[in-house]
Amino acid sequence: MNAAWFPESPAASVIAPPVRPVLDVEDMPDLARGAAVLGTGGGGDPYLGRLLAEQALREHGPVPLVRPEDLPDDACVLPVAQMGAPTVSVEKLPAYAEIGRAVTTLAEHLGRTPTHVACIEAGGINSTLPVAGAALLGLPLVDGDGMGRAFPELQMVLPGIAGVPATPMSITDEQGNTGVLTCPTAKWAEDLARSMTITMGCTAIIANYPMTGAQARETLIGGTLGLCVRIGRAIAAARAGLDDPVAAVATETGGTVLHTGKVVDVARRTTTGFARGEARITGDGGDCLLRFQNEHLLAEVDGRIVTTTPDLIMVLDTATGEPVTTEALRFGHRVSVLGAPADPRWHTPAALAVVGPRYFGYDTDPVRVGAPGGTA
Amino acid sequence: MNAAWFPESPAASVIAPPVRPVLDVEDMPDLARGAAVLGTGGGGDPYLGRLLAEQALREHGPVPLVRPEDLPDDACVLPVAQMGAPTVSVEKLPAYAEIGRAVTTLAEHLGRTPTHVACIEAGGINSTLPVAGAALLGLPLVDGDGMGRAFPELQMVLPGIAGVPATPMSITDEQGNTGVLTCPTAKWAEDLARSMTITMGCTAIIANYPMTGAQARETLIGGTLGLCVRIGRAIAAARAGLDDPVAAVATETGGTVLHTGKVVDVARRTTTGFARGEARITGDGGDCLLRFQNEHLLAEVDGRIVTTTPDLIMVLDTATGEPVTTEALRFGHRVSVLGAPADPRWHTPAALAVVGPRYFGYDTDPVRVGAPGGTA
């Protein structure tokens, strides 16, 4: 019922009005915008995800938010998400039926009645689609997620790194195809679900990492939905007050402006089920090169690597503060590139093996945002 | 207990000794060889499938065979098969654990106790692998199959064309991955299971088309396991008596020799999960061109199409009568090409839409073996 209800980000109590322990239609523009910021270029178009959640909330009423620490041990928490290439989800929209079917298919396979829906990542459509799912199913939503940002592959979640199996998982599409997978590792689940997703037309809805309340409490990053709402509000407030919206996002996320300039080159291909590519941004501070696979994973300025995964690399419209997804990057776009620290659990050796730059084929050690000098 | 126990092929009572209503270790060489003949080039190496079944029969005892017409209405019949490219299954062998797991995973999903195992196709490993499965699980095996031959895709079965859904189906691999798919059409099941099979390393074990006894009775082709044994015995008997083994196979299958010669060219690639290609065979009667996708699907002699799918195109070693699979075709091999009529149900318009030459991209109407003149 007050700002302290969500874990504090540096300036939350100053900028953000109180956030209620429910999500309703009026929260969706802020949540979607903030989620797209944490989505670090991935997670799909926030506008689409917002429309989906708004419709579900209008039809089924507001969704109660539950903090991970308030989950009972024996809760049955089922995360739901869209899998696939954001480039495709712009044209092939997720529908209600698939979201509900993903959750109920997994619940039936488990022989459990789900008690809570959750987000497996914070970012774009994957922060708003679970809102729709929770509304549809009449279940509360956990205020938290498995990444604190977005990552492109499904083994890249903190619960998985802490030992929660990715499977059983369900996968479904708009054709009515459903699958339930049980795999020895999360990477196998990623590989098999990815190949199915590609066959399904490059997007699918999944429910995976089924968790007890105790597991969710211990392994999810709490408060990230609240943080998304605050980021969205900070952007709106800065714009309304003619303040700098990029600076407002930097304040909310603890981030740093890495570069400001104009997009002069975008090479993007939708391949092996991902949107992959590079973007080049000129500017007073030199040339900035971004490398992405659904999400921005590496930022160079004048040939020097200044931030890499797992830290957050966020691209915002310089004038409006609107987050720019990798599939929306266009020549001529005036953008600012922000870096922000990831949850410290991403910097352990076990986590870096899963999400560090070398996993993605970039031959560099991880570079944390603000590290002195970066690497050449 | 006598030759009449299996439906008669033209000369069965002359050539074949009585076939018992059980399958045991000593039946496997004949069954495997005969299955590879009906496999029309596909279905994988019969030797590998034979070893697998022999080991299972040695460990678990003989497998009772049940004629489709003797199945009770409420039987729970679960077909089991290998899916993938035969070129790969030469190196990546199926194992016991996967066969049992495919059946039990599907049974658990259905909430049923299986009463019978069945073959979904007649051909190579997919006629012997279900023997191993039945032995392992202590279940009787249906003497019949869903094709009366082999075909490369899983929608290409008579039960499916008669309305039995392909799914729920299970799929599993040697890594311990399991999936259960439910799809609106058999083609969707094919596409999704194929993409999973490719990710699993190009072979997988599946159980699909779960059937009641009534459905199995009405839609399976009965007696094909017995026919396989008889074909195998006819080859062995001809060789032992210095008779022509190719003629013996022609007699057993009601087939015709289309061509005899030497393999002079084989173009084979393992692509989109299949072994695809062409083979050219010279000979006194001119040049024969075979086109295949796992199975031989079209035979031309001197540019004239003489037989196409759905009729059977079988390649045998001219001297020994041994069936030659598409992945085993080699330069210099002296082979005979036989054509034989498919089950008449394959020649209905509904079935031809699924397995006719145009489905496979060959721009011709179906040509039945023995059709006057064939087509140019």
Side-chain angles (χ1 to χ4, degrees):
Chain A
M1 299 289 179
N2 57 61
W5 194 86
F6 290 112
E8 292 296 291
S9 73
S13 57
V14 181
I15 295 172
V19 176
R20 295 171 303 154
V22 295
L23 286 173
D24 209 343
V25 179
E26 63 266 27
D27 299 310
M28 284 303 107
D30 293 322
L31 172 60
R33 189 178 281 133
V37 170
L38 293 187
T40 63
D45 188 323
Y47 180 67
L48 299 176
R50 170 189 148 188
L51 291 182
L52 196 77
E54 285 177 352
Q55 189 187 339
L57 291 167
R58 268 191 216 102
E59 290 177 13
H60 300 276
V63 166
L65 280 175
V66 177
R67 302 184 300 182
E69 55 264 46
D70 294 336
L71 288 167
D73 279 358
D74 61 351
C76 175
V77 180
L78 298 187
V80 63
Q82 186 182 55
M83 183 166 192
T87 35
V88 171
S89 68
V90 174
E91 298 187 359
K92 180 168 173 287
L93 310 179
Y96 269 21
E98 302 149 53
I99 303 170
R101 193 161 55 232
V103 175
T104 54
T105 298
L106 179 56
E108 277 167 25
H109 179 82
L110 294 168
R112 294 289 308 270
T113 303
T115 60
H116 298 77
V117 173
C119 302
I120 203 65
E121 72 177 349
I125 209 162
N126 278 341
S127 292
T128 52
L129 184 145
V131 177
L136 282 171
L137 295 161
L139 293 174
L141 182 66
V142 178
D143 178 19
D145 78 286
M147 302 183 190
R149 52 163 294 160
F151 274 124
E153 301 182 20
L154 67 70
Q155 72 276 20
M156 299 172 173
V157 304
L158 289 172
I161 287 162
V164 177
T167 63
M169 72 172 280
S170 63
I171 179 165
T172 190
D173 67 6
E174 76 290 351
Q175 302 289 334
N177 291 300
T178 65
V180 176
L181 302 179
T182 308
C183 302
T185 65
K187 182 65 169 70
W188 269 112
E190 160 67 24
D191 289 348
L192 288 169
R194 186 73 53 185
S195 62
M196 294 179 76
T197 297
I198 292 169
T199 300
M200 286 171 167
C202 242
T203 67
I205 305 294
I206 62 173
N208 60 1
Y209 290 97
M211 278 179 256
T212 63
Q215 288 174 315
R217 218 162 50 213
E218 284 160 21
T219 65
L220 291 178
I221 301 180
T224 47
L225 287 175
L227 176 61
C228 288
V229 172
R230 282 202 309 276
I231 293 170
R233 289 188 184 179
I235 294 171
R239 255 149 56 177
L242 300 180
D243 292 334
D244 178 0
V246 173
V249 171
T251 304
E252 281 295 331
T253 59
T256 305
V257 178
L258 303 173
H259 192 74
T260 298
K262 187 178 83 165
V263 177
V264 291
D265 199 9
V266 182
R268 187 193 301 112
R269 37 194 196 286
T270 303
T271 174
T272 66
F274 296 103
R276 295 176 196 262
E278 298 85 38
R280 190 172 296 278
I281 303 157
T282 57
D284 292 341
D287 256 27
C288 174
L289 182 72
L290 297 175
R291 299 183 192 274
F292 53 85
Q293 175 182 324
N294 288 12
E295 282 75 37
H296 295 294
L297 297 172
L298 188 145
E300 293 178 21
V301 174
D302 282 341
R304 203 164 47 84
I305 298 170
V306 292
T307 304
T308 70
T309 172
D311 277 356
L312 286 69
I313 300 167
M314 301 167 286
V315 177
L316 307 179
D317 182 293
T318 303
T320 66
E322 286 293 330
V324 182
T325 57
T326 53
E327 76 273 16
L329 277 172
R330 296 280 180 281
F331 176 85
H333 214 143
R334 311 281 166 157
V335 297
S336 295
V337 182
L338 286 184
D343 186 279
R345 285 173 278 181
W346 281 124
H347 286 283
T348 61
L352 288 172
V354 178
V355 300
R358 291 193 201 282
Y359 175 85
F360 295 100
Y362 307 124
D363 187 22
T364 172
D365 289 328
V367 177
R368 291 196 185 214
V369 60
T375 62
Chain B
M1 298 290 182
N2 57 61
W5 194 84
F6 289 111
E8 292 297 291
S9 74
S13 57
V14 180
I15 294 172
V19 176
R20 296 170 304 154
V22 296
L23 286 174
D24 209 344
V25 178
E26 62 266 27
D27 300 311
M28 284 304 107
D30 292 322
L31 173 60
R33 190 178 280 133
V37 170
L38 293 187
T40 64
D45 188 324
Y47 180 68
L48 300 177
R50 170 188 150 188
L51 292 183
L52 195 76
E54 285 177 353
Q55 188 187 340
L57 291 168
R58 267 190 216 104
E59 289 177 13
H60 299 277
V63 166
L65 280 174
V66 177
R67 301 185 301 181
E69 54 264 48
D70 294 335
L71 287 168
D73 279 356
D74 62 350
C76 174
V77 181
L78 298 188
V80 62
Q82 186 182 56
M83 182 165 193
T87 34
V88 172
S89 67
V90 175
E91 299 188 358
K92 181 168 172 287
L93 312 179
Y96 270 21
E98 301 148 54
I99 303 169
R101 192 162 56 232
V103 175
T104 54
T105 297
L106 180 54
E108 278 168 24
H109 180 81
L110 295 167
R112 294 288 309 270
T113 303
T115 61
H116 298 77
V117 172
C119 302
I120 203 67
E121 72 177 348
I125 209 162
N126 278 342
S127 292
T128 52
L129 183 145
V131 178
L136 281 172
L137 295 161
L139 292 174
L141 181 66
V142 179
D143 179 18
D145 77 286
M147 303 185 189
R149 52 163 295 160
F151 273 125
E153 300 181 21
L154 64 73
Q155 72 276 21
M156 299 172 173
V157 304
L158 289 172
I161 286 162
V164 178
T167 64
M169 72 172 280
S170 63
I171 179 165
T172 189
D173 68 4
E174 77 289 350
Q175 302 290 334
N177 290 301
T178 65
V180 176
L181 302 179
T182 308
C183 303
T185 67
K187 183 64 167 70
W188 269 113
E190 160 68 23
D191 289 347
L192 288 170
R194 187 72 52 185
S195 61
M196 294 178 75
T197 296
I198 292 170
T199 300
M200 287 170 165
C202 243
T203 68
I205 305 295
I206 61 173
N208 60 0
Y209 289 98
M211 278 180 256
T212 64
Q215 288 173 315
R217 217 161 52 211
E218 284 160 22
T219 65
L220 291 178
I221 301 181
T224 46
L225 287 176
L227 177 60
C228 289
V229 172
R230 283 203 308 278
I231 293 169
R233 288 187 184 178
I235 294 171
R239 253 148 59 176
L242 300 179
D243 292 334
D244 178 1
V246 173
V249 172
T251 304
E252 282 295 331
T253 58
T256 306
V257 177
L258 302 174
H259 192 75
T260 298
K262 187 178 83 166
V263 178
V264 292
D265 200 9
V266 181
R268 188 193 299 114
R269 38 196 194 286
T270 303
T271 173
T272 65
F274 296 103
R276 295 176 195 263
E278 299 85 37
R280 190 172 295 277
I281 303 158
T282 57
D284 291 342
D287 257 25
C288 174
L289 182 71
L290 298 174
R291 298 183 193 274
F292 55 84
Q293 176 182 323
N294 288 14
E295 281 75 37
H296 294 296
L297 297 171
L298 189 146
E300 294 178 22
V301 174
D302 281 342
R304 203 165 45 83
I305 299 171
V306 292
T307 303
T308 69
T309 173
D311 277 355
L312 285 69
I313 300 167
M314 302 168 286
V315 178
L316 307 179
D317 181 295
T318 302
T320 65
E322 286 293 331
V324 182
T325 56
T326 53
E327 77 273 16
L329 277 172
R330 296 279 181 282
F331 176 87
H333 214 142
R334 311 281 167 158
V335 297
S336 295
V337 181
L338 286 183
D343 187 278
R345 286 174 277 180
W346 282 124
H347 285 282
T348 61
L352 288 172
V354 178
V355 300
R358 290 193 203 282
Y359 175 83
F360 295 101
Y362 308 124
D363 186 22
T364 172
D365 288 330
V367 178
R368 290 196 186 215
V369 61
T375 62

